[in-house]
């Protein structure tokens, strides 16, 4: 990895590989010329150097490049960009088709384990799409709205038909990973769509909610990553910059041409029912429904996902914290929808039952969030799948939730991977 001083950058310079910050955050795509605006932004945010696995294109591959007319260079760049756009459209079309095929395949698989494994693979495909969307915007300042809508429509169907598998997918440790925003967007969107379905939103509303949730933190791309990926205490000025990301995101989706409901959701997702949120400190009925849903989804995601500065907290603790709704931050109807979608003992947690057996919560009962469906570890049903029971107030009563160390020990003793 080669370092290049920002002060030495000049407009029109072209690098042979991607230009990055901190060896991972994309600044400029391979083959694209440096602009004065980019140089100014890097200096504005205090970056002294950038990194590249390649070098500055000195023209050795085409010694006459510096002598070409500007019009020829522009024409060639436009042609290359057109080819890249076609290739990207083809890849996303193939992605969409493969997601459809995999989603259908899940329903035909014979075992619980194989369906869960396939759900993992489809989930990852959606994450890859979100990463490509973010990367493409970072390098081109473009978002294909039609393409995003199609992907979200398929995602809604995937989550609806495979909810009990999708909600069991646990986040990996993200640490200072460049995929932090992607992982957060993906997990929050799954949770938001689950809540939206419980609230009986119409399909077109679900699509808008999904698009808004995927994009809700995209304003972060206009901020230095060290503001939102750090274990250091931010100074007041830095906190103020970080708190500007809803406005930056709102301006971004407005510029791209997303409809007002999506613009409002991106702008208001950090507002609170009691008026203590930001950026406008609005409250209750002044906050859009999509923003209220995203706020709860993000809160649940943030508590249950690992961060570079702390470990993940159990889903059970996250549910209790949101149910307490300290200071009345969240909409009560949205909280209720989260509860009935996940149950008091959320899908994915491991529990100890009154009969001495250990189980994993795998589904909910529609109108009884206190007694979800549990899968008994180490026991098989007649069809070969793990045996499931309805928890109750008798022998199948949930006594307590297992902590992470207990889960690891139990799964290890049974020869089960923690990713299964």
């Amino acid at each position: 990895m080669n370092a290049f001083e920002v002060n030495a950058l000049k407009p029109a310079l072209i690098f042979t590989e991607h230009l990055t910050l901190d060896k991972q955050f994309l600044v400029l795509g391979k083959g694209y010329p440096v602009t004065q605006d980019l140089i100014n932004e890097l200096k504005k945010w205090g970056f002294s150097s950038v990194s590249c696995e390649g070098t500055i294109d000195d023209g050795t591959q085409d010694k006459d490049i510096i002598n070409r007319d500007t019009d020829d260079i522009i024409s060639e760049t436009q042609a290359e960009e057109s080819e890249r756009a076609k290739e990207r459209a083809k890849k996303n079309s193939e992605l969409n088709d493969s997601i459809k095929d995999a989603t259908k395949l899940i329903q035909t698989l014979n075992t619980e384990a194989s369906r869960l494994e396939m759900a993992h693979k489809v989930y990852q495909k959606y994450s890859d799409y979100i990463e490509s969307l973010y990367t493409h915007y970072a390098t081109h300042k473009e978002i294909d709205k039609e393409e995003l809508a199609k992907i979200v429509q398929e995602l809604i169907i995937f989550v609806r038909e495979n909810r009990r598998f999708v909600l069991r997918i646990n986040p990996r440790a993200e640490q200072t990973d460049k995929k932090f925003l992607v992982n957060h967007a993906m997990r929050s969107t799954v949770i938001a769509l689950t809540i939206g379905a419980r609230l009986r939103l119409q399909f077109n509303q679900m699509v808008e909610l999904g698009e808004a949730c995927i994009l809700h933190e995209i304003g972060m791309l206009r901020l230095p990553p060290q503001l939102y990926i750090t274990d250091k205490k931010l100074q007041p000025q830095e906190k103020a910059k970080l708190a500007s990301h809803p406005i930056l995101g709102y301006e971004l989706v407005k510029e791209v041409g997303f409809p007002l409901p999506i613009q409002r959701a991106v702008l208001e997702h950090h507002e609170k029912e009691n008026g203590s949120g930001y950026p406008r400190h609005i409250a209750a009925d002044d906050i859009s429904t999509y923003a209220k849903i995203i706020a709860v989804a993000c809160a649940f995601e943030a508590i249950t996902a690992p961060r570079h500065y702390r470990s993940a907290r159990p889903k059970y603790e996250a549910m209790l914290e949101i149910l307490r709704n300290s200071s009345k931050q969240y909409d009560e109807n949205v909280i209720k929808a989260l509860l009935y979608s996940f149950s008091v003992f959320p899908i994915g947690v491991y529990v100890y039952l009154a009969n001495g057996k250990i189980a994993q919560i795998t589904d909910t009962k529609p109108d009884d969030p206190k007694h979800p469906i549990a899968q008994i570890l180490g026991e098989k049903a007649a069809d070969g799948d793990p045996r499931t029971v309805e928890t109750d107030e008798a022998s199948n009563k949930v006594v307590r939730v297992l902590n992470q160390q207990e889960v690891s020990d139990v799964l290890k003793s049974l020869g089960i991977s923690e990713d299964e």
Side-chain angles (χ1 to χ4, degrees):
M1 186 71 72
N2 300 310
F4 296 87
E5 296 296 322
V6 170
N7 287 335
L9 297 180
K10 302 293 182 184
L13 279 179
I14 295 176
F15 287 82
T16 59
E17 297 295 337
H18 294 324
L19 201 63
T20 61
L21 294 174
D22 302 328
K23 300 183 181 181
Q24 56 180 338
F25 294 96
L26 185 64
V27 172
L28 186 67
K30 170 185 175 181
Y32 286 89
V34 173
T35 65
Q36 188 61 52
D37 286 343
L38 174 62
I39 296 171
N40 292 342
E41 286 296 314
L42 290 170
K43 290 180 178 179
K44 176 182 176 182
W45 294 114
F47 290 103
S48 59
S49 66
V50 289
S51 301
C52 181
E53 291 187 352
T55 60
I56 295 173
D57 189 343
D58 61 4
T60 56
Q61 296 179 353
D62 188 345
K63 295 180 180 179
D64 296 328
I65 192 169
I66 58 174
N67 296 319
R68 293 179 183 174
D69 292 335
T70 301
D71 289 343
D72 290 340
I73 296 174
I74 292 174
S75 178
E76 185 173 297
T77 301
Q78 289 174 338
E80 291 173 353
E81 179 58 28
S82 177
E83 285 302 311
R84 290 191 186 97
K86 290 179 181 178
E87 182 63 25
R88 184 170 182 272
K90 179 182 177 183
K91 286 182 178 179
N92 283 310
S93 177
E94 292 172 350
L95 169 66
N96 208 9
D97 289 342
S98 67
I99 286 172
K100 288 180 182 179
D101 293 341
T103 301
K104 292 176 182 176
L105 179 60
I106 292 174
Q107 309 307 318
T108 68
L109 297 174
N110 295 324
T111 67
E112 185 87 355
S114 61
R115 290 193 289 270
L116 180 58
E117 181 183 1
M118 183 58 70
H120 269 269
K121 291 179 179 179
V122 177
Y123 181 99
Q124 187 56 52
K125 288 178 183 290
Y126 281 114
S127 293
D128 292 343
Y129 165 74
I130 294 175
E131 181 178 10
S132 73
L133 183 151
Y134 274 47
T135 301
H136 188 73
Y137 181 79
T139 55
H140 293 72
K141 302 298 183 286
E142 296 173 349
I143 297 175
D144 188 326
K145 300 193 296 296
E146 183 177 342
E147 173 188 275
L148 175 59
K150 289 179 180 178
I151 293 290
V152 171
Q153 288 169 25
E154 292 300 322
L155 177 59
I156 292 167
I157 297 170
F158 170 65
V159 173
R160 182 183 66 201
E161 296 182 354
N162 302 281
R163 182 179 60 89
R164 66 192 183 93
F165 300 117
V166 177
L167 297 184
R168 286 158 63 184
I169 296 175
N170 293 316
R172 305 291 196 275
E174 293 152 325
Q175 301 180 359
T176 55
D177 195 293
K178 65 179 179 180
K179 292 186 179 181
F180 163 75
L181 290 178
V182 172
N183 293 335
H184 173 66
M186 180 64 198
R187 296 191 73 236
S188 297
T189 301
V190 167
I191 298 168
L193 291 176
T194 303
I195 293 172
R198 182 72 198 188
L199 291 171
R200 301 186 185 282
L201 296 185
Q202 296 177 3
F203 190 77
N204 67 305
Q205 293 176 311
M206 290 285 286
V207 174
E208 288 184 334
L209 173 63
E211 291 180 60
C213 201
I214 286 174
L215 298 170
H216 77 279
E217 299 282 37
I218 201 165
M220 292 285 197
L221 295 181
R222 292 184 172 176
L223 295 173
Q226 63 263 35
L227 287 181
Y228 53 88
I229 301 182
T230 180
D231 53 4
K232 298 179 180 178
K233 184 177 180 180
L234 296 179
Q235 298 301 312
Q237 184 179 9
E238 293 173 319
K239 288 181 179 179
K241 288 179 181 177
L242 186 61
S244 71
H245 78 267
I247 296 175
L248 296 174
Y250 161 75
E251 292 173 345
L252 186 160
V253 296
K254 184 178 179 181
E255 289 169 3
V256 174
F258 283 95
L260 183 59
I262 293 177
Q263 294 177 30
R264 286 191 61 191
V266 172
L267 177 64
E268 298 169 4
H269 71 274
H270 276 296
E271 302 289 0
K272 304 296 183 185
E273 287 290 296
N274 60 11
S276 65
Y278 63 88
R280 296 189 295 157
H281 308 291
I282 58 177
D285 292 342
D286 290 333
I287 305 172
S288 74
T289 299
Y290 298 159
K292 290 171 184 270
I293 294 172
I294 294 172
V296 171
C298 284
F300 191 83
E301 193 282 331
I303 297 170
T304 59
R307 296 292 189 253
H308 63 287
Y309 53 88
R310 61 156 174 79
S311 299
R313 289 170 57 193
K315 292 179 180 178
Y316 177 64
E317 289 184 14
M319 182 61 72
L320 292 182
E321 182 170 321
I322 291 176
L323 288 175
R324 280 194 290 268
N325 198 15
S326 177
S327 303
K328 303 298 180 184
Q329 299 180 66
Y330 308 114
D331 183 277
E332 291 290 345
N333 289 328
V334 177
I335 291 175
K336 184 177 179 181
L338 176 74
L339 171 64
Y340 277 79
S341 298
F342 282 76
S343 88
V344 173
F345 306 101
I347 292 175
V349 305
Y350 291 85
V351 296
Y352 185 80
L353 303 180
N355 56 20
K357 296 179 179 180
I358 295 173
Q360 183 184 32
I361 304 302
T362 57
D363 207 348
T364 59
K365 286 192 279 189
D367 298 311
D368 188 1
K370 292 183 179 179
H371 302 112
I373 307 299
Q375 190 177 92
I376 307 297
L377 268 61
E379 294 188 14
K380 299 288 186 181
D383 61 2
D385 275 344
R387 188 168 76 86
T388 59
V389 299
E390 294 185 3
T391 58
D392 51 34
E393 290 299 315
S395 62
N396 290 322
K397 179 180 180 179
V398 175
V399 175
R400 66 180 179 85
V401 175
L402 273 62
N403 62 42
Q404 187 55 53
Q405 186 58 55
E406 290 174 322
V407 172
S408 296
D409 292 343
V410 169
L411 295 183
K412 184 177 180 180
S413 69
L414 294 173
I416 301 173
S417 169
E418 292 192 43
D419 290 332
E420 292 182 13

